[in-house]
Amino acid sequence: MTDVPGVLAGHTTVDDGADLHTGVTAIVPSGLGPGRWTLPAAVYTGNGHGKLVGSTQVDELGVLESPVVLTATLSVFRAADALLGHLMERRPDGLSFNPLVGETNDGHLSDIRRRPITEEHVLAAVAGATDGLPAEGCVGAGAGTTALGYKAGIGTSSRTVRTDCGTRTVGALVQSNFGGVLTALGVPLPVDELVPAADRTEPPGNSCMIVVATDVPLDARQLRRLARRAVFAMARVGASFSSTSGDYAIAFTTSDQPPIPDGAIDPVFAAVLDAVEEALLNSLFTAVTTTGVGGRTSHAVPHRAVVERLAAAGRLTARPYA
């Protein structure tokens, strides 16, 4: 994500080693400020079983005017209020603000009803955002999430793409917490087979939040097309897209140049699909086994078993565990 110039990311993790595994992840466009208080943006709702605060105004006006904050379902409204305070402090003369805050439900591993996220956690994630490689796995808003039967979390990735205006970057950051059967390189990796003793009490559905940032010049309509492709990429890793899964993508550009023509956008679509797919896989492969509230455990993806299965399917040319 932070390979896109002008995009920062930060986390605050709340983990007491027992009943709380949650946090905040913030994506902060550094260019938002005096002289430019909005960026072209769009939201695509794959399935609306979620609480994406601020999404309707982004959809209506086609602009982003705040950092994007991710957290747990029952903490989303406190996070939105904290982000509102941040925006008001930056613009003392403002009378209307649109904080954009998304969520997934980490109640399988974290005591979500305690709503532990405070204003300080949100502001720390925003203030601590940097252009370095964001931490992945069980951090920030991904501390307590599960996906495809395994422990999941935050994942990020990027691709470079050649456009009419030169080489540009597409970055993705995901908060994975959805159902289905993990698939890599087209090979199913079901938890039932790779971790036979795994906990089976994970609730069906849950959600996925995807944020796509780019410096490709695009307008809001084109960015919505990117956001659609971001949700489409979930199918590549085995998402079930169940009834209770809130699957959202947010896409924005940092560019202030005129948009590229639609006829030149296909390479950008391909970059989005690839970056989101890798980010989703990274969110699982970097996570670690976690035991949380009620003694429930989400197991990490067993790397060696995955490599062996991919090698047996002819998807790998080398076997690092051989």
Side-chain angles (χ1 to χ4, degrees):
M1 170 63 76
T2 53
D3 289 339
V4 179
V7 177
L8 316 177
H11 303 293
T12 302
T13 303
V14 179
D15 190 333
D16 66 359
D19 292 345
L20 291 179
H21 302 273
T22 191
V24 177
T25 295
I27 298 95
V28 182
S30 62
L32 281 178
R36 193 183 189 197
W37 290 109
T38 63
L39 299 175
V43 171
Y44 177 67
T45 304
N47 192 58
H49 198 280
K51 292 87 183 160
L52 180 50
V53 174
S55 62
T56 57
Q57 182 168 310
V58 176
D59 193 46
E60 182 72 18
L61 302 182
V63 296
L64 176 72
E65 60 181 63
S66 82
V68 180
V69 166
L70 307 176
T71 189
T73 300
L74 298 188
S75 293
V76 70
F77 307 105
R78 289 182 173 176
D81 187 66
L83 187 55
L84 173 61
H86 167 76
L87 297 173
M88 292 178 66
E89 184 175 351
R90 297 195 73 203
R91 297 186 66 181
D93 59 339
L95 299 178
S96 178
F97 303 89
N98 189 51
L100 189 61
V101 181
E103 52 77 31
T104 72
N105 194 310
D106 58 17
H108 181 62
L109 292 176
S110 189
D111 187 356
I112 195 168
R113 289 180 61 88
R114 285 171 61 178
R115 295 189 292 165
I117 299 302
T118 66
E119 180 180 32
E120 289 72 23
H121 293 133
V122 176
L123 297 181
V126 172
T130 72
D131 61 0
L133 178 65
E136 297 177 282
C138 306
V139 296
T145 63
T146 60
L148 304 169
Y150 298 97
K151 182 67 185 76
I154 298 295
T156 188
S157 179
S158 70
R159 294 292 187 273
T160 56
V161 59
R162 293 189 178 184
T163 71
D164 292 354
C165 52
T167 300
R168 300 296 175 102
T169 304
V170 173
L173 185 144
V174 303
Q175 179 192 20
S176 296
N177 196 50
F178 56 96
V181 176
L182 174 61
T183 302
L185 301 177
V187 178
L189 304 164
V191 67
D192 291 352
E193 297 176 10
L194 270 59
V195 189
D199 183 356
R200 297 292 181 271
T201 61
E202 177 190 352
N206 287 323
S207 305
C208 186
M209 289 297 311
I210 307 170
V211 183
V212 174
T214 186
D215 58 351
V216 178
L218 300 167
D219 60 24
R221 177 186 59 81
Q222 293 170 319
L223 286 163
R224 193 165 193 272
R225 300 183 74 196
L226 259 64
R228 286 195 192 98
R229 271 67 182 182
V231 173
F232 296 166
M234 292 173 61
R236 292 186 174 187
V237 301
S240 59
F241 297 108
S242 69
S243 172
T244 55
S245 186
D247 305 317
Y248 297 91
I250 301 159
F252 68 89
T253 181
T254 60
S255 175
D256 59 0
Q257 298 175 345
I260 64 173
D262 284 347
I265 205 170
D266 279 353
V268 186
F269 287 163
V272 170
L273 287 163
D274 285 349
V276 173
E277 178 185 14
E278 183 182 341
L280 291 167
L281 292 174
N282 287 346
S283 72
L284 285 111
F285 291 134
T286 58
V288 297
T289 298
T290 303
T291 298
V293 65
R296 293 187 289 270
T297 298
S298 284
H299 290 267
V301 174
H303 295 177
R304 181 167 189 151
V306 168
V307 168
E308 290 175 349
R309 183 157 294 200
L310 293 178
R315 302 299 189 191
L316 299 178
T317 57
R319 299 183 66 165
Y321 295 107

